[in-house]
């Protein structure tokens, strides 16, 4: 296609624009766009950049609170943690690229989310990831899992940010669309946050970082389409991550920010130079003029279209104080990075691009952003699922055998094979790394600790989007609370199928409403997030997966508790359970799926009010020094949680199970808002529970022998438990 | 048959390693070296007397494991009876 | 006690090492940028872990040829003490200060986990003076290329010469003690004069106070007190 | 001049990667592949019209950086004027 040739609707359609959208472009420009201009519209109006299907619903999320310094709308959310410090975080998906090339897809996902965080002026201190793969026996799973894990490690380990947590699930609905969501957390001074809005007409616009190649051209539009065989041929050149350059860029940017030379800054993520220049200029209600001949390129002969839509990694755009230009240049030279003034801020509210001395693009900014389509897509929810009773689901096996099967299942088996490939200790501030509940990372040089987790249970969301959305927030909150921290705020990644289908849209609406409802009650506003739609292959959608990333704060990390049992002679309680309970909610549980072969059924109701009360009680008890170990109850229920506490600890547990027909419900039910705690001062703890009016059931005691006894069943040694739990993934991957 | 397989990054795909080595060479005074690209060379023995068949087997191995055909190209050379 | 920590582009344990040294000695080590060819006199040079130059070509290869390494070589040739950790170990091998090489882990994967190390009987060295032979240390590793390799003659020579400082040893769980396939379970070695040491485990990540072990602190204290 | 440098591990040097690839190939049914060794192929352009001189420069680069001559051998091939 010729650069200046006028485009037609056929061209627009090929770039993913609808006829109405094409008409709107003609109207706003009052002429026909050229290739470069059309490419810019198509990228900015893609689902990925414009959030056209989800925006209406994202607006319903709570985003404010006294702790919030910056909510959604910037590169990452910013939350106050006191003493002049702020935590900066966001989660982002790289689903499509990771399916095509798992190593590079995952690596560039990590690189991208790190840039979002350090762009805000924060030094990244932790990485997490939420991964979903197809059936564990599916032919592609092994290749995708090994590539994604290696890619995440490849980037994070090299750049030197610890990967401290995450989750991995397997389900056949992800056979053709895996999910790779990466979260980054950083620390900044709360009065030194950097934003993207351009300031001051006449100020220089600087390009820094790696050179621009033909990588991933139109990746944003790709991420906004379903997969089919046809996509294969449209495949852009895969983006290749360069964590080494990423590290230099991070250090150079942080050094430049400390030198007080930066006015505004934006990373080049999806849609590269297009979205960064448009966002900076439009947020500042200004314009921008760029000479594309000045952009450092890797290959000769790149067109304006290619330069504007390239998704080459490790690049940034910034506006700097003119008088600091030489300081800035020196810093980038020190780090051996490109530093190139490529244009200037203008007051025209237009984006003007020059190429070979000619104008390659001259369009008003307002339509690109303000007129980006926003749809109120119709939705219709599936029928509600029935509540299933324990009797309908209970398997024949005894509870020991059920425990063995659950611990060894792909869902619950140890993730050690995964997380040992991540450097979880670099920066030397990791207190709790992967393998427990929330990760805990020290705020360097202080007593503060950040508790961080990512959570979602797609089978609940699939069965009941509203409940599933609430539950994801509640489970994250429990993980944070189990460490003793108080939850501050969340980021979220909405992974769904094709929103043009009414049932999928209903999932999105339900899940977002549920998330919002829970966040309101738990006082955890949403400060950032990302949406990934069209996760479908040949019409088959994924199980909906609204991942919650939550960050909490503990004032003194030395007081945090882990989930492993520490010593004998402590009393085990279940917080949030009545003493007489002898059944549990098995519908939609992991037990039902793994042992009864039954998917679906109404999920256990989430109860954010109870979560808040129980979380407050636990924090209070931990603060009071009564708790030696704490673990939330989630997938697999009470007995699985207790087995995990034995496997992670240096002591055993002895409990007596109720004598009843509903024993499996009691042992493996997934009723919400519960924790198992090992208590050192039972009297004080029981008094606290009755004072705060929280139900708690005495479960048993800790013992010195490292074993789990659920009488009348025979004791199971820790080695035995581990022999069920540990080998599954490693065995699969070494086949 | 001994077979040599050369695996190179496709044209246009970023080669950060090549770039870093080029810079390092320049730092050591080798400013006359440009366009450094780094690929893999795999040598193996294929149990077959027939060169055409060995080449065919090697191509299969490349497609199914040795090369990442999304970003890499490969060439196969059958050297000699081993 | 004066220490210097060398920083290459891609080093990422430089701060951690600096903090560890300062915790033990109360004094901040000098930080030396790879482009500096000037090194003020110090008691020990420490080369920290990370991915210098992205680990491109061969781990440590590009860093070993950086200007700062010329002064490190001078310092070592005058009998100065040098400690290289992880990528620092790789750099010392590439620069020829220590024999052998580190190749890809036998599992072909990055490995981050705790290891148990046995302190070996070595030649007289100030670096290990505070660590009784036979004592054990729990210190984590995190690397892709920690598989120590040398030919048998060279390995025999290292053994005979008392140059093997640390070996991976039974960690009393189901997994192999040796995380990377290193020849003869070698985790750290000394130069023939006992003044240069390279090791894969990260002592700066086992400093107690929140870390899973405090043995790295014991180890570094021995090194730093030994050379001051 | 375009120059191709092949870098291979010396005989006797452990090649864990080659061994793992061999096992993986066997696992995929390619039991006819043995003695898998993995080396590097570096291509670069040397600014010189003279093949002999280009080769000489390349050899210097290998000795001072590109190969670790303790464990690696290298061969140099000057392909063509670039
Ligand atoms: N699900 C969501 N909830 C809250 N905020 C969201 C969500 N999805 C996207 N956002 C916000 O919209 C903005 C654009 O997101 P994104 O396109 O992912 O940014 P970037 O281009 O920096 O990667 C960000 O401020 C992000 O936090
Ligand atoms: Mg961004």
């Amino acid at each position: 296609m010729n650069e200046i040739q006028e485009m037609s609707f056929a061209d627009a359609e090929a770039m993913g624009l609808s006829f109405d959208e094409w008409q709107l472009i003609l109207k706003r420009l009052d002429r026909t766009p050229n290739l470069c201009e059309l490419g810019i519209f198509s990228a900015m109006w893609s689902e990925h950049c414009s959030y056209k299907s989800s925006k209406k619903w994202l607006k319903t999320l709570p985003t404010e609170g006294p702790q919030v310094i910056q909510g959604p709308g910037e590169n990452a959310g910013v939350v106050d943690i006191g003493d002049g410090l702020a935590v900066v975080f966001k989660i982002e998906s790289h689903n499509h690229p990771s399916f095509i090339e798992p190593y590079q897809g995952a690596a560039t996902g990590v690189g991208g989310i790190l840039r979002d965080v350090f762009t805000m002026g924060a030094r990244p201190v932790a990485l997490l990831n939420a991964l979903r793969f197809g059936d564990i026996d599916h032919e592609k799973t092994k290749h995708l899992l090994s590539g994604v894990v290696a890619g995440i490690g490849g980037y994070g380990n090299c750049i030197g940010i610890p990967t401290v947590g995450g989750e991995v699930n397997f389900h056949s609905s992800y056979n053709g669309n895996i999910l790779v969501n990466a979260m980054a957390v950083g620390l900044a001074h709360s009065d030194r946050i950097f934003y993207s809005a351009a300031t001051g007409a006449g100020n220089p616009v600087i390009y820094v970082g790696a050179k621009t190649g033909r990588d991933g051209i139109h990746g944003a539009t790709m991420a906004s389409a379903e997969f089919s065989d046809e996509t294969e041929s449209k495949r852009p050149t895969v983006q290749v991550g360069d964590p080494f350059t990423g590290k230099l860029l991070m250090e150079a940017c942080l050094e430049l920010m400390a030198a007080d030379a930066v006015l505004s800054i934006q990373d080049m993520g999806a849609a590269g130079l297009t979205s960064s220049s448009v966002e900076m200029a439009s947020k500042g209600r200004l314009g921008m003029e760029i000479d594309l001949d000045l952009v450092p390129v890797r290959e000769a002969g790149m067109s304006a279209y290619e330069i504007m839509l390239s998704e080459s990694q490790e690049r940034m755009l910034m506006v700097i104080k003119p008088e600091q230009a030489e300081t800035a240049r020196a810093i980038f030279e020190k780090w051996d990075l490109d530093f190139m003034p490529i244009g200037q801020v203008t007051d025209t509210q237009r984006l003007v691009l020059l190429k070979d001395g000619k104008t390659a693009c001259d369009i008003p900014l307002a339509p690109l952003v303000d007129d980006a389509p926003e749809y109120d897509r119709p939705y219709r929810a599936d029928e509600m699922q029935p509540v299933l009773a324990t009797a309908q689901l209970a398997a024949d096996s005894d509870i020991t055998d059920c425990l063995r099967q659950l611990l060894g299942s792909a869902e619950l088996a140890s993730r050690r094979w995964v997380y040992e490939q991540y450097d979880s200790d670099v920066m030397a501030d990791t207190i709790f790394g992967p393998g427990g509940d929330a990760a805990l990372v020290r705020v360097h040089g202080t007593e503060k600790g950040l508790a961080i987790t990512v959570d979602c249970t797609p089978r609940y969301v699939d069965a009941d989007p509203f409940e599933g959305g609430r539950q994801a927030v509640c489970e994250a909150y429990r993980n944070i609370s189990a460490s003793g921290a108080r939850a501050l705020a969340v980021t979220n990644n909405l992974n769904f199928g094709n929103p043009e289908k009414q049932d999928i849209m209903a999932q999105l609406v339900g899940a977002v409403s549920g998330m919002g409802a829970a966040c309101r009650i738990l006082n955890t506003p949403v400060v950032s997030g990302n949406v990934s739609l069209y996760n479908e292959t040949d019409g088959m959608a994924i199980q909906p997966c609204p991942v919650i990333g939550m960050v909490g704060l503990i004032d003194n990390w030395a007081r945090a508790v882990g989930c492993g049992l520490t010593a004998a002679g402590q009393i085990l309680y279940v917080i949030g359970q009545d003493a007489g309970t002898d059944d549990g909610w098995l519908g939609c549980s992991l037990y039902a799926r793994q042992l009864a072969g039954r998917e679906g059924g109404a999920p256990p109701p989430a109860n954010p009010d109870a979560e808040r009360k129980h979380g407050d009680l636990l924090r209070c008890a931990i603060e009071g020094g009564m708790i030696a170990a704490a673990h939330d109850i989630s997938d697999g229920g009470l007995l699985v949680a207790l087995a995990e506490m034995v496997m992670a600890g240096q002591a055993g547990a002895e409990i007596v199970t109720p004598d009843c027909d509903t024993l499996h419900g009691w042992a493996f039910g997934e009723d919400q808002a519960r924790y198992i705690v090992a208590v050192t001062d039972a009297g004080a703890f029981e008094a606290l529970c009755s004072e705060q009016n929280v139900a708690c059931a005495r479960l048993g005691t800790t013992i010195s022998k490292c074993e789990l006894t659920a009488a009348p069943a025979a004791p199971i040694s820790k080695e035995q438990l581990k022999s069920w739990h540990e080998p599954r993934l490693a065995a699969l991957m070494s086949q | 048959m001994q077979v040599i397989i050369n695996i190179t990054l496709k044209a246009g795909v970023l080669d950060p390693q090549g770039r870093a080595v080029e810079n390092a060479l320049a730092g050591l005074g080798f400013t006359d070296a440009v366009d450094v690209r780094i690929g893999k060379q795999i040598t193996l023995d294929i149990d077959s007397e027939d060169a055409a068949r060995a080449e065919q087997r090697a191509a299969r191995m490349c497609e199914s494991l040795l090369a990442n055909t999304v970003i890499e190209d490969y060439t196969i050379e059958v050297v000699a009876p081993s | 006690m004066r220490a210097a920590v060398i920083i290459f582009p891609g080093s990422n344990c430089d701060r951690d090492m600096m903090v560890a040294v300062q915790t033990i000695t109360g004094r901040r080590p000098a930080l030396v940028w790879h482009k500096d060819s000037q090194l003020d006199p110090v008691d020990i040079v420490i080369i920290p872990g990370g991915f210098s130059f992205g680990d491109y070509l061969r781990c440590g290869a590009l860093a070993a040829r950086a200007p700062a390494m010329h002064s490190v070589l001078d310092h070592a040739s005058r009998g100065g003490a040098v400690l290289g950790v992880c990528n620092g170990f790789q750099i010392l091998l590439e620069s020829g200060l220590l024999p052998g090489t580190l190749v890809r882990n036998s599992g072909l994967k990055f490995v981050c986990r705790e290891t148990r190390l046995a302190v070996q009987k070595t030649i007289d060295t100030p670096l290990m003076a505070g660590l009784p032979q036979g004592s054990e240390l729990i210190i984590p590793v995190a690397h892709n290329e920690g598989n120590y390799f040398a030919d048998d003659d060279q390995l025999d020579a290292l053994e005979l010469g008392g140059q093997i400082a640390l070996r991976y040893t039974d960690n009393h769980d189901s997994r192999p003690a040796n995380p990377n396939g290193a020849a003869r379970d070698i985790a750290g070695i000394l130069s023939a004069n006992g003044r240069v040491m390279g090791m894969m485990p990260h002592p700066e990540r086992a400093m107690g106070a929140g870390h899973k072990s405090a043995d790295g602190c014991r180890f570094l204290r021995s090194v730093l007190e030994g050379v001051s």
Side-chain angles (χ1 to χ4, degrees), chain A, chain B, chain C:
Chain A
M1 270 186 275
N2 184 326
E3 285 269 349
I4 33 201
Q5 181 193 325
E6 291 187 355
M7 296 287 105
S8 67
F9 172 55
D11 302 314
E13 200 177 17
M15 290 187 196
L17 290 162
S18 72
F19 186 70
D20 290 346
E21 290 165 357
W22 165 248
Q23 289 291 321
L24 188 58
I25 295 172
L26 296 183
K27 196 167 136 208
R28 287 290 178 264
L29 289 186
D30 206 16
R31 63 176 167 85
T32 317
N34 64 30
L35 172 63
C36 178
E37 292 168 338
L38 184 62
I40 290 173
F41 269 99
S42 140
M44 291 308 297
W45 287 4
S46 70
E47 188 68 59
H48 192 85
C49 291
S50 75
Y51 294 88
K52 56 192 170 193
S53 301
S54 56
K55 208 186 304 178
K56 171 179 158 83
W57 298 100
L58 293 181
K59 284 182 194 155
T60 67
L61 291 169
T63 59
E64 280 165 17
Q67 71 273 46
V68 177
I69 295 175
Q70 174 65 52
E74 283 288 333
N75 286 303
V78 184
V79 175
D80 194 358
I81 56 167
D83 299 320
L85 296 170
V87 58
V88 177
F89 59 97
K90 184 173 186 279
I91 192 167
E92 188 151 275
S93 64
H94 233 208
N95 303 336
H96 291 70
S98 301
F99 188 77
I100 291 170
E101 211 306 280
Y103 184 96
Q104 294 298 342
T108 51
V110 172
I113 194 61
L114 284 170
R115 279 194 298 283
D116 275 336
V117 165
F118 71 73
T119 300
M120 302 293 297
R123 176 169 286 279
V125 297
L127 284 164
L128 294 90
N129 55 82
L131 312 177
R132 300 292 184 285
F133 296 95
D135 199 84
I136 194 158
D137 299 318
H138 186 266
E139 53 178 14
K140 281 200 169 142
T141 298
K142 199 177 139 181
H143 160 73
L144 291 169
L145 174 62
S146 61
V148 164
V149 169
I152 289 173
Y155 203 102
N157 299 347
C158 180
I159 197 168
I161 313 296
T163 300
V164 296
E167 56 172 0
V168 187
N169 292 124
F170 301 92
H171 188 267
S172 55
S173 72
Y174 304 107
N175 283 351
N177 294 84
I178 61 171
L179 304 183
V180 176
N181 296 176
M183 173 173 173
V185 181
L187 286 166
H189 290 285
S190 43
D191 60 352
R192 295 193 58 79
I193 306 292
F194 289 81
Y195 298 98
S196 55
T199 49
N203 282 336
V205 174
I206 314 284
Y207 171 115
V208 298
K211 293 189 193 331
T212 297
R214 290 191 170 94
D215 328 5
I217 288 175
H218 252 306
T221 346
M222 270 276 293
S224 310
E226 272 184 50
F227 270 156
S228 67
D229 287 344
E230 215 185 309
T231 359
E232 200 79 352
S233 57
K234 275 197 211 157
R235 198 155 64 188
T237 314
V238 170
Q239 311 157 32
V240 171
D242 180 2
F244 172 57
T245 301
K247 163 83 173 164
L248 305 187
L249 187 60
M250 174 174 84
E251 297 299 342
C253 286
L254 292 173
E255 194 172 325
L256 187 64
M257 288 163 168
D260 199 25
V262 178
L263 288 170
S264 47
I265 177 163
Q266 170 68 38
D267 67 303
M268 293 193 221
L273 194 48
T274 293
S275 67
S276 51
S277 58
V278 169
E279 270 171 41
M280 291 180 83
S282 68
K283 277 189 185 148
R285 295 278 147 202
L286 290 162
M288 200 174 277
E289 189 179 294
I290 294 175
D291 185 347
L292 296 180
D293 295 323
L294 297 174
V295 171
V297 289
R298 211 165 72 221
E299 297 168 62
M302 287 185 69
S303 68
Y305 172 87
E306 290 174 319
I307 293 173
M308 286 307 286
L309 289 156
S310 159
E311 292 191 355
S312 290
Q313 301 290 299
E314 343 295 350
R315 304 178 299 159
M316 297 283 221
L317 198 62
M318 50 196 196
V319 177
I320 60 170
K321 295 182 179 165
E323 67 275 15
Q324 297 273 30
E326 282 320 302
T327 315
R329 181 186 298 280
I331 289 172
F332 279 80
E333 258 163 29
K334 166 180 163 195
W335 292 99
D336 291 321
L337 293 166
D338 273 314
F339 175 95
M340 184 60 83
I342 59 167
Q344 56 178 347
V345 179
T346 64
D347 57 9
T348 60
Q349 304 199 13
R350 296 181 77 82
L351 178 67
V352 177
L353 305 174
L354 306 174
K355 181 86 178 54
D356 305 325
K358 292 198 270 293
T359 304
C361 160
D362 184 353
I363 50 181
L365 284 160
L368 283 174
V369 184
D370 304 341
D371 292 343
E374 178 176 335
Y375 295 137
D376 184 3
R377 296 204 187 272
Y379 58 96
R380 192 186 54 244
D382 288 338
E383 255 171 60
M384 294 294 274
Q385 304 248 2
V387 175
L388 305 177
T390 297
Q392 287 173 269
L393 294 167
D396 285 336
S397 330
D398 62 35
I399 59 164
T400 302
D401 196 47
C402 292
L403 181 64
R404 177 184 65 79
Q405 292 191 49
L406 282 171
L407 289 179
S409 69
E411 286 299 272
L412 287 184
S414 164
R415 269 59 181 136
R416 186 189 293 276
W417 182 89
V418 172
Y419 62 63
E420 277 191 355
Q421 296 184 55
Y422 302 148
D423 189 340
S424 49
D425 292 333
V426 63
M427 297 186 91
D429 281 318
T430 305
I431 308 293
F432 300 148
D437 290 329
L440 189 69
V441 175
R442 220 161 27 192
V443 175
H444 191 72
T446 76
E447 288 189 343
K448 294 182 203 286
L450 296 174
I452 318 166
T453 183
V454 288
D455 289 285
C456 179
T457 311
R459 63 176 186 280
Y460 294 169
V461 190
D462 195 46
D464 183 336
F466 182 80
E467 281 300 338
R470 288 209 299 184
Q471 194 274 343
V473 177
C474 289
E475 185 174 340
Y477 179 85
R478 279 203 298 279
N479 280 315
I480 299 291
S481 304
S483 68
R486 75 185 175 277
L488 287 176
V490 312
T491 183
N492 70 100
N493 207 136
L494 303 174
N495 303 279
F496 291 85
N498 180 349
E500 294 159 37
K501 296 181 183 163
Q502 297 204 9
D503 55 331
I504 302 286
M505 195 59 208
Q507 292 176 343
L508 179 84
V509 172
V512 171
S513 310
M515 271 167 43
C519 286
R520 279 194 182 83
I521 294 170
L522 296 172
N523 279 330
T524 52
V526 175
V527 295
S528 60
N530 180 254
V531 180
S532 168
L533 302 177
Y534 297 95
N535 291 290
E536 298 203 0
T537 299
D538 299 328
M540 156 93 171
I542 57 161
Q543 276 198 344
C545 190
V547 175
I548 296 294
M550 191 179 281
V551 175
L553 179 69
I554 188 164
D555 294 328
N556 184 351
W557 55 260
R559 303 197 77 109
V561 301
C563 69
L565 298 177
T566 57
Q570 298 161 2
I571 312 297
L572 294 163
Y573 289 91
V574 183
I575 296 178
Q577 179 154 313
D578 285 316
T581 304
D582 63 0
D583 194 1
W585 191 289
L586 280 186
C588 211
S589 66
L590 198 62
Y591 172 98
R593 188 172 109 188
Q594 298 299 132
L595 296 168
R598 171 86 194 240
E599 292 200 49
N607 185 344
D609 289 299
E611 295 286 1
R612 185 170 169 177
K613 226 168 115 183
H614 303 171
D616 284 342
L617 170 96
L618 179 53
R619 261 181 297 279
C620 208
I622 290 174
E623 207 136 286
M626 304 166 205
I627 307 289
H631 187 26
D632 77 304
I633 299 180
S634 56
D635 278 346
L638 189 155
L639 205 58
V640 164
L642 191 58
E644 288 169 345
M645 296 177 81
V646 172
M647 286 188 286
Q650 268 90 53
E654 191 169 68
I655 66 169
V656 177
T657 58
D659 179 15
C660 62
D661 294 343
T662 51
L663 176 61
H664 288 204
W666 180 86
F668 305 113
E670 296 179 0
D671 303 73
Q672 299 291 297
R674 297 183 300 159
Y675 303 84
I676 300 180
V677 287
V679 175
T680 49
D681 183 344
F685 179 72
E686 287 188 17
L688 186 68
C689 289
S690 59
E691 181 192 309
Q692 300 203 0
N693 200 18
V694 172
C696 81
R698 192 173 165 136
L699 188 62
T701 53
T702 60
I703 53 176
S704 59
K705 212 162 169 197
C706 285
E707 61 185 26
L708 169 64
T709 304
I716 313 166
S717 70
K718 175 172 161 179
E719 282 66 45
Q720 180 78 75
L721 290 169
K722 284 185 133 183
S723 75
W724 297 338
H725 186 59
E726 289 284 344
R728 180 72 197 260
L729 280 193
L732 169 85
M733 299 312 290
S734 65
Q735 265 167 31
Chain B
M1 288 278 164
Q2 208 199 1
V3 175
I4 299 181
I5 301 172
N6 288 315
I7 299 177
T8 52
L9 280 173
K10 289 199 156 113
V13 173
L14 174 71
D15 180 8
Q17 178 161 228
R19 223 183 56 119
V21 169
E22 186 169 323
N23 290 342
L25 282 172
L28 292 171
F30 296 105
T31 45
D32 47 349
V34 293
D35 261 346
V36 180
R37 311 252 317 156
I38 301 190
K40 266 186 276 207
Q41 183 174 66
I42 302 179
T43 61
L44 43 78
D45 249 42
I46 294 184
D47 180 18
S48 159
E49 305 292 274
D50 176 349
R53 192 180 134 70
E55 179 165 348
Q56 205 182 41
R57 291 292 287 170
R60 285 248 194 87
M61 294 176 200
C62 285
E63 292 289 332
S64 48
L65 178 74
L66 301 180
N68 177 353
T69 51
V70 178
I71 54 173
E72 294 171 332
D73 290 327
Y74 59 87
T75 60
I76 296 168
E77 190 186 337
V78 179
V79 195
S82 48
Chain C
M1 226 303 299
R2 292 155 309 164
V5 174
I6 315 282
I7 305 176
F8 300 95
S11 295
N12 63 29
C13 303
D14 43 331
R15 185 196 73 178
D16 308 352
M17 185 56 84
M18 188 191 91
V19 170
V21 170
Q22 190 165 7
T23 305
I24 291 168
T25 65
R27 225 172 120 173
R28 200 181 129 106
L31 301 180
V32 180
W33 183 237
H34 70 113
K35 289 178 186 167
D36 296 347
S37 36
Q38 168 86 19
L39 177 69
D40 293 334
V42 288
D43 300 306
I44 186 169
V45 170
I46 304 180
I47 308 184
F51 287 67
S52 59
F53 294 92
D55 265 3
Y56 294 138
L57 194 63
R58 296 179 309 276
C59 304
L62 305 189
R65 287 148 181 92
M69 283 307 290
H70 298 306
S71 13
V72 175
L73 291 177
D74 287 347
H75 164 85
S77 70
R78 289 189 303 263
V82 182
L83 173 68
V85 171
C86 197
N87 188 228
F89 186 10
Q90 295 163 341
I91 294 169
L92 293 179
L93 295 171
E94 275 284 345
S95 68
L97 280 175
L98 290 172
T101 175
L102 287 157
V103 298
R104 193 98 190 264
N105 295 345
S106 54
L108 295 189
K109 290 191 299 291
F110 190 94
V111 58
C112 173
R113 63 170 236 210
E114 277 186 344
T115 58
R116 186 182 290 265
L117 307 169
V119 175
Q120 304 295 299
K121 178 172 169 18
T122 62
I123 44 162
D124 191 26
T125 169
L127 302 172
M128 311 269 289
L131 295 169
Q133 176 213 332
S135 60
E136 293 189 346
L137 304 168
I138 292 182
I139 301 182
V141 294
H143 58 251
N144 238 325
E145 277 97 356
N147 182 348
Y148 184 78
F149 177 83
D151 61 34
D152 280 324
D153 293 345
Q154 214 163 17
L155 290 169
D156 291 342
L158 288 176
E159 304 241 20
L160 281 174
Q163 286 177 255
I164 299 175
L166 298 168
R167 276 195 164 101
Y168 302 110
T169 186
D170 187 13
N171 47 359
H172 312 297
D173 76 15
S174 53
R175 287 171 320 145
N178 180 339
N180 51 34
R184 303 190 191 178
D185 296 329
I186 289 174
I189 60 170
L190 288 161
S191 58
N193 69 357
R195 310 280 307 174
V196 179
M197 180 171 179
M199 64 194 288
M200 286 316 294
H202 284 276
E204 77 281 10
R205 299 183 185 186
M207 297 291 293
H211 293 166
K212 289 190 200 97
S213 156
D215 292 348
C217 189
R218 265 174 68 201
F219 175 86
L220 283 176
R221 174 160 291 134
S222 153
V223 168
L224 295 168
E225 284 173 359
V227 298
S228 49

